[in-house]
Each structure stands twice: as structure tokens, then as C-alpha cells.
């Protein structure tokens, strides 16, 4: 098994439904990695941050140091 961390985003709750956006992105990621034996073991999701924001400044980036936990930055999910 090849382990992956999923990092997704949606721009704002006003323009996109965060749950629908996360589900769509996660479905696409799984379709890409699972046929090759991949599995998503951690999830990170930013809500309300532009795609032009560099990775180093994204809230989800700080969660990568804790790969066993699921973090969804900018959301009330745990």
C-alpha cells in the first residue's frame, strides 16, 4: 500500500459548497491513486483561501506534521 495525504481547498463558502467541493476532489484523488494500490490516510482541506495563496501560507500545511490526524482547516469538522 502506498500512503497519501489528501490536500484540498475551496475558495469561499459563498461561492462553493465546502462539503460538495471536498467530496468531488476526494473522489477524483481516490480514482487516481487506488488502482495503483494507494490509500488516503490523512485529509487536509482549506476553506476560504485563494488558490494563489502559496502552500507555505495555507492553514492546512501546518497539519502535515501530524499525519495520523484528520484536519480540515477553516471548518468546524474534526
Amino acid at each position: 500500500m502506498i500512503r497519501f495525504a489528501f490536500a484540498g481547498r475551496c475558495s469561499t463558502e459563498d461561492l462553493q459548497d465546502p462539503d460538495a467541493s471536498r467530496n468531488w476532489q476526494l473522489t477524483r484523488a481516490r480514482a487516481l491513486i487506488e488502482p495503483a494500490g494507494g490509500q488516503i490516510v490523512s485529509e487536509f482541506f482549506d476553506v476560504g483561501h485563494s488558490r494563489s495563496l502559496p502552500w507555505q501560507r495555507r492553514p492546512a500545511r501546518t497539519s502535515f506534521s501530524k499525519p495520523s490526524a484528520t484536519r480540515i482547516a477553516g471548518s468546524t469538522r474534526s
Side-chain angles (χ1 to χ4, degrees), residues 22-44:
R22 178 189 162 276
N23 290 337
W24 176 82
Q25 292 175 45
L26 194 52
T27 298
R28 296 287 295 158
R30 284 185 176 136
L32 179 66
I33 66 168
E34 286 178 353
Q39 180 179 2
I40 294 173
V41 296
S42 296
E43 296 180 29
F44 308 89

Side-chain angles (χ1 to χ4, degrees), residues 7-72:
R9 60 161 294 281
C10 75
S11 57
T12 65
E13 291 183 64
D14 296 346
L15 300 175
Q16 292 179 304
D17 173 22
D19 288 329
S21 184
R22 178 189 162 276
N23 290 337
W24 176 82
Q25 292 175 45
L26 194 52
T27 298
R28 296 287 295 158
R30 284 185 176 136
L32 179 66
I33 66 168
E34 286 178 353
Q39 180 179 2
I40 294 173
V41 296
S42 296
E43 296 180 29
F44 308 89
F45 197 79
D46 283 332
V47 177
H49 301 282
S50 169
R51 66 177 169 243
S52 65
L53 185 67
W55 174 248
Q56 294 81 2
R57 294 179 44 209
R58 291 189 178 276
R61 178 189 167 268
T62 59
S63 299
F64 266 59
S65 63
K66 300 173 187 166
S68 62
T70 298
R71 304 274 186 224
I72 301 179

